[in-house]
Amino acid sequence: MNVLTARQKGVAVFLAVALVVLIFELIRRRRLREEYAWLWMLTGIGVLVLAVWDELLAGLSVLIGSASPPPTLFFFGVLFLVLICLQYAVRISALTVQVKNLAQKVAILEDQARPSPPADRPTASR
Amino acid sequence: MLAEGRGLAVIPARDESASIQETLARVAEAAPHLDLVVVDDGSSDGTREAALAAGARVLSHPFWLGYGAALQTGFKYALAKGYRWVVTIDADGQHDARDIPSVAEPVLAGTADISVGSRFLADPDYPMDALKRAGVRFFRWVYRALAGRSITDPTSGFKCLNGAALAFCARDVFPHDYPDTDMMITLQKARFRIVERPARMRARRAGRSMHARFSGRVYYVFKVTVSILATVFRESHGYLGESPVPARGPGPASRSPAAEKMS
């Protein structure tokens, strides 16, 4: 099976290496936290491995029923993107709960910090 | 009767400046021994100022969090302040505050943990458009199928909760947007005793319903349905088993873990 042309392989390897280098650089500058980087890193390394390992790409193409190898590369790229989005959605959900709890606490603490209770409350019964 | 233990009326409000003062006055008149707290959910129309001007205590979310989160802020406040029971009532004035004593009665008597004000028990022919009627029927059916009991008004915002129910609802299981049928099923599964009492509803006079837009309604039905399915799945996997079996009757709320967290 003719796997990837030299040009296809070159582009895939270049992009994968660029992605891995970019991610590493972002981590080094503390712009990206490691917990978000691992799926991205996996994506870059995965594409790199598939691009250079002809037999693996050919085998996976047969496995998923792909007519030719280049779409296989796309398929796994998209699959990882979906996983990354899902990871973000999970994280956003957790952050939403945390932000909600913080805002509720702020609302209650703000009330406690108010210097004097509202005057002549019609319902005071303590 | 309402003087038993310390009770708090929680009134979640979002952009209800036109009706909040009248609602506060009606609640104060109908239940003079009840303390009031308005939870302003990031309103931009002066709801907070209107409620403060009426002499109410106001908890203000720094930004919009959702109707459920507003209720929960009130629950957390009640637990932190040691209230023994809470009545939730909508700020738009649709709930008739004169029904507070009858809705609260089962909780105060210790025969229920949660009492729900049902507009359909008060008026079986309560007017609704076709879409809403279908929605209410659907959620009634789902509730009966999953909770094993029936409820006439699974989406009512007029409720009374005792300390154990408050502590449960102060946890992160409580939905921040629409705590309706899904939460009722969760509470039923957690073996809280739920009863319904008739509650009259008045036509909305000002402001805007949460469910006015069609897209909002579609999302609402989708969200609550998914949430119900998740509830059932969690329950069957012992998720609710983590929670202690709720104490019965209006117990001292300040001993709950949620109250400790708040203090």
Side-chain angles (χ1 to χ4, degrees):
Chain A
M1 189 190 233
N2 188 16
V3 183
L4 290 178
T5 65
R7 187 174 290 245
Q8 285 171 343
K9 188 172 279 193
V11 170
V13 168
F14 173 75
L15 289 179
V17 168
L19 183 62
V20 171
V21 168
L22 181 65
I23 292 163
F24 191 77
E25 184 59 15
L26 286 172
I27 296 173
R28 198 183 63 81
R29 293 190 197 168
R30 299 182 201 284
R31 297 265 304 275
L32 179 65
R33 287 164 58 94
E34 290 85 345
E35 61 178 294
Y36 298 112
W38 68 273
L39 259 178
W40 282 109
M41 205 64 116
L42 209 62
T43 307
I45 293 171
V47 170
L48 189 63
V49 167
L50 287 178
V52 296
W53 190 353
D54 289 353
E55 291 79 15
L56 181 66
L57 186 59
L60 281 175
S61 299
V62 173
L63 194 71
I64 66 169
S66 170
S68 69
T72 310
L73 213 49
F74 274 109
F75 174 79
F76 281 100
V78 170
L79 189 67
F80 272 108
L81 281 182
V82 168
L83 287 177
I84 287 168
C85 286
L86 200 58
Q87 187 200 22
Y88 285 167
V90 168
R91 194 70 196 122
I92 289 170
S93 299
L95 286 171
T96 303
V97 172
Q98 289 171 347
V99 167
K100 183 212 72 178
N101 287 343
L102 263 183
Q104 289 178 320
K105 201 160 245 186
V106 166
I108 293 172
L109 289 177
E110 194 180 47
D111 171 73
Q112 285 173 358
R114 204 166 292 149
S116 58
D120 58 46
R121 293 172 54 210
T123 54
S125 67
R126 312 228 173 134
Chain B
M1 184 268 300
L2 284 178
E4 287 173 28
R6 286 169 68 213
L8 177 71
V10 171
I11 305 170
R14 171 159 172 83
D15 291 344
E16 297 285 3
S17 62
S19 54
I20 186 71
Q21 292 192 336
E22 192 187 337
T23 301
L24 285 167
R26 286 180 186 275
V27 174
E29 189 189 344
H33 298 293
L34 212 52
D35 285 352
L36 294 179
V37 68
V38 173
V39 184
D40 166 33
D41 190 19
S43 298
S44 57
D45 71 338
T47 298
R48 172 188 164 83
E49 289 70 25
L52 284 172
R57 186 171 283 273
V58 181
L59 306 176
S60 290
H61 290 168
F63 36 78
W64 174 71
L65 291 178
Y67 173 73
L71 283 175
Q72 197 187 42
T73 300
F75 298 161
K76 289 179 174 180
Y77 175 81
L79 290 165
K81 295 288 178 184
Y83 285 99
R84 294 164 77 89
W85 53 280
V86 155
V87 168
T88 65
I89 189 160
D90 287 352
D92 58 15
Q94 284 191 286
H95 298 139
D96 192 331
R98 287 173 297 174
D99 290 322
I100 289 176
S102 66
V103 170
E105 192 273 329
V107 170
L108 293 182
T111 56
D113 301 303
I114 298 150
S115 175
V116 181
S118 165
R119 70 197 117 150
F120 303 112
L121 284 183
D123 177 11
D125 303 316
Y126 181 79
M128 286 180 296
D129 60 53
L131 201 61
K132 197 160 184 182
R133 191 181 306 276
V136 168
R137 283 209 181 128
F138 172 68
F139 285 121
R140 270 186 200 162
W141 174 80
V142 169
Y143 186 87
R144 193 167 52 240
L146 297 177
R149 301 186 50 187
S150 0
I151 194 164
T152 61
D153 198 350
T155 64
S156 171
F158 191 4
K159 293 190 181 84
C160 181
L161 298 86
N162 69 4
L166 280 179
F168 189 84
C169 291
R171 299 171 7 160
D172 286 341
V173 292
F174 196 73
H176 62 85
D177 44 9
Y178 310 118
D180 291 345
T181 315
D182 48 349
M183 197 59 207
M184 294 306 290
I185 291 172
T186 301
L187 289 164
Q188 179 72 49
K189 294 269 185 197
R191 297 194 288 280
F192 283 99
R193 298 163 301 164
I194 302 170
V195 297
E196 281 192 299
R197 284 289 178 274
R200 291 159 285 187
M201 283 278 271
R202 289 139 34 98
R204 163 177 281 273
R205 287 147 63 120
R208 185 180 159 85
S209 163
M210 299 192 285
H211 304 310
R213 278 176 311 160
F214 182 78
S215 60
R217 289 182 178 194
V218 171
Y219 169 73
Y220 170 80
V221 171
F222 170 77
K223 182 263 156 184
V224 175
T225 305
V226 170
S227 175
I228 288 167
L229 290 174
T231 300
V232 172
F233 194 69
R234 265 187 216 125
E235 202 273 339
S236 65
H237 283 69
Y239 175 85
L240 292 175
E242 291 170 19
S243 65
V245 175
R248 296 306 184 201
S254 57
R255 281 170 56 197
S256 72
E260 279 160 26
K261 247 189 263 173
M262 285 307 305
S263 58

